[in-house]
Amino acid sequence: MEPVSKRAKQLISSKAERFTESVIREMTRQAMLYGAINLAQGFPDFAAPEEIKRAAQEAIAADINQYAITWGAKPLREAIARQMQKWQGIAVDPELEITVCCGSTEAMIAVMLAITNPGDEVVIFEPFYENYGPDTVLSGAQPRFVKLHPPVGDGEWQFDERELRAAFNDRTKAIILNTPNNPTGKVFTRSELEVIRDLCLEFDVLAITDEIYEHIIFDRAEHISMARLDGMRDRTITINGMSKTYSVTGWRVGWAVAQPVLTNAIRKVHDFLTVGAAAPLQAAGAVALSLPDLYYQNLATSYGARRDRLLPTLRQAGFNVFVPRGAYYIMTDIARFGYDDDVSFARHLVKDVGVAVVPGSSFYSNPRDGARQVRFAFCKRDQTLDAAAERLRKIG
């Protein structure tokens, strides 16, 4: 009889063996194990807005506790459409073009499963949010990675147009674009988006845009949705959600917006993945999307202050920092600390210093490319950031 372990391994799909568990979530477990301050996983440690918490409580009390329509409660879909028109000037049909999912993470895999076939290729900028590669593999497609090159001096993360063009071919089905970007904090400019747009049109490719950080931008940067650009309205799938803008990462309410033919396919996949997102939280989402403009202005201002609170701490501790223009992460270079790789350095930080970070290698297809980088999250209270600063002085 074969050993159980060997037989069990034979039962595992080849897809599941092509990627690891989330490094980000593992670093949260490490933070809990060692009593470290968690600057790894991107969840706020401060309260969500009172208005939306109250709206969720009232929805539960009003017995909005059964299934919503599979593709999303009507008030939430109408609020999403209204706000996309207001913020980006994009007219959306809430009945035919919006699918509410269990977070933007489910929206992404639902989209990938809905549009890709075996042999298709998906272009992904790296460093990338760690779900994109596994999502491509799980959907049967092949990822094609294109580098975002680190800033020089006070510059920005940049892609080489020739490298991007080389990634496109007759097998390319889609490109995933995350702006503002996790982990780099890059906000793609209009001219950069136009380069991507032109390639999408030339090669008949879809753009899947993850815009979850759209309201967290700094230094007069502007968030531009790809769907706004000429020629891209019907070939863009826009993914977004409540987690980051409203500090409710545990609610898992997100959405995908696409032209009707694509939406029909996304809705079918979504239905059999999760049926639907939590009904009372969708009701609260409609309230959240009705918050006044001042809320979003204060959101960006408060996160900008947190960024500026952490940046000097990291510089003083010896990190070379890449200043983000959006999102709530800071990528850093750790070359001066003399560690062989980012994983051993992150292990030292969490165990010996008491601060958890994410090893940079988890954001690259080839771990060596991120072996001199780690990512800090600054979506934390001032007290948390100050406590982390005190501990980071121990690095030496």
Side-chain angles (χ1 to χ4, degrees):
M1 185 176 179
E2 289 181 299
V4 173
S5 58
K6 183 178 180 181
R7 175 58 181 155
K9 188 172 183 179
Q10 293 173 342
L11 297 174
I12 297 171
S13 79
S14 58
K15 294 190 294 293
E17 291 192 327
R18 289 179 60 188
F19 52 87
T20 66
E21 293 181 271
S22 164
V23 175
I24 295 173
R25 266 79 81 186
E26 172 58 26
M27 291 311 300
T28 287
R29 290 189 285 271
Q30 293 291 310
M32 296 171 67
L33 177 64
Y34 294 107
I37 295 170
N38 189 353
L39 300 188
Q41 193 169 0
F43 63 86
D45 67 349
F46 47 84
E50 289 298 324
E51 303 97 311
I52 70 171
K53 290 191 293 185
R54 185 165 56 250
Q57 293 165 347
E58 291 172 353
I60 292 170
D63 275 326
I64 304 177
N65 297 313
Q66 310 310 322
Y67 296 120
I69 294 173
T70 301
W71 51 81
K74 186 178 179 67
L76 177 56
R77 285 184 284 112
E78 290 177 340
I80 293 166
R82 182 190 69 238
Q83 295 308 109
M84 286 191 71
Q85 176 70 62
K86 178 179 179 180
W87 292 329
Q88 293 292 324
I90 301 170
V92 175
D93 185 337
E95 297 301 325
L96 300 177
E97 297 188 303
I98 297 174
T99 308
V100 177
C101 300
C102 295
S104 60
T105 298
E106 191 237 318
M108 179 62 74
I109 188 63
V111 166
M112 296 292 286
L113 290 168
I115 68 167
T116 59
N117 294 304
D120 287 343
E121 294 183 357
V122 177
V123 177
I124 302 172
F125 286 108
E126 61 177 350
F128 52 83
Y129 175 56
E130 63 179 358
N131 282 42
Y132 301 155
D135 283 351
T136 304
V137 170
L138 287 169
S139 61
Q142 295 294 322
R144 289 287 299 269
F145 297 100
V146 175
K147 289 284 190 303
L148 290 174
H149 299 281
V152 176
D154 294 328
E156 306 284 345
W157 292 80
Q158 302 283 349
F159 62 87
D160 185 308
E161 292 184 24
R162 293 166 299 179
E163 293 175 5
L164 181 60
R165 169 170 283 277
F168 280 71
N169 57 64
D170 59 4
R171 295 182 302 278
T172 308
K173 175 59 73 72
I175 180 171
I176 296 176
L177 179 67
N178 176 210
T179 183
N181 180 262
N182 173 14
T184 67
K186 176 180 176 61
V187 179
F188 283 74
T189 64
R190 178 177 288 276
S191 61
E192 289 173 324
L193 295 177
E194 288 173 345
V195 168
I196 298 166
R197 184 270 313 274
D198 291 347
L199 288 169
C200 288
L201 295 176
E202 179 181 345
F203 289 90
D204 192 20
V205 167
L206 294 169
I208 306 169
T209 65
D210 180 348
E211 303 182 20
I212 195 73
Y213 300 98
E214 65 173 331
H215 294 293
I216 305 175
I217 50 178
F218 321 116
D219 306 330
R220 296 180 297 281
E222 179 188 7
H223 169 65
I224 301 172
S225 289
M226 178 66 84
R228 280 172 53 181
L229 272 60
D230 290 344
M232 292 305 293
R233 171 63 177 82
D234 286 341
R235 64 172 62 246
T236 299
I237 302 172
T238 305
I239 292 175
N240 213 319
M242 294 183 61
S243 291
K244 312 303 183 182
T245 299
Y246 305 106
S247 302
V248 287
T249 61
W251 281 21
R252 316 311 304 138
V253 178
W255 49 86
V257 181
Q259 56 128 312
V261 171
L262 297 174
T263 291
N264 184 56
I266 295 165
R267 286 178 173 182
K268 288 191 291 185
V269 173
H270 157 71
D271 188 5
F272 290 103
L273 278 176
T274 62
V275 179
L281 302 184
Q282 291 191 56
V287 173
L289 285 162
S290 300
L291 290 174
D293 292 345
L294 183 61
Y295 173 80
Y296 303 97
Q297 296 166 15
N298 290 340
L299 180 78
T301 298
S302 65
Y303 272 122
R306 291 183 176 94
R307 179 197 67 168
D308 294 343
R309 196 179 195 94
L310 185 58
L311 282 171
T313 292
L314 298 178
R315 290 185 176 117
Q316 290 163 15
F319 294 90
N320 178 29
V321 301
F322 304 127
V323 179
R325 307 302 179 196
Y328 49 51
Y329 309 101
I330 299 173
M331 280 287 272
T332 67
D333 184 287
I334 61 171
R336 76 164 292 274
F337 296 105
Y339 276 75
D340 291 336
D341 61 84
D342 58 315
V343 175
S344 59
F345 180 72
R347 188 178 300 118
H348 163 63
L349 281 186
V350 72
K351 290 178 64 176
D352 304 324
V353 178
V355 176
V357 299
V358 180
S361 57
S362 66
F363 303 112
Y364 290 88
S365 56
N366 184 340
R368 290 194 298 273
D369 291 335
R372 292 293 181 270
Q373 297 173 356
V374 299
R375 188 199 76 176
F376 291 81
F378 57 86
C379 49
K380 310 296 177 181
R381 294 171 298 164
D382 288 350
Q383 302 96 303
T384 303
L385 296 175
D386 290 346
E390 184 64 33
R391 295 185 182 192
L392 288 170
R393 295 190 184 100
K394 302 176 188 176
I395 296 178

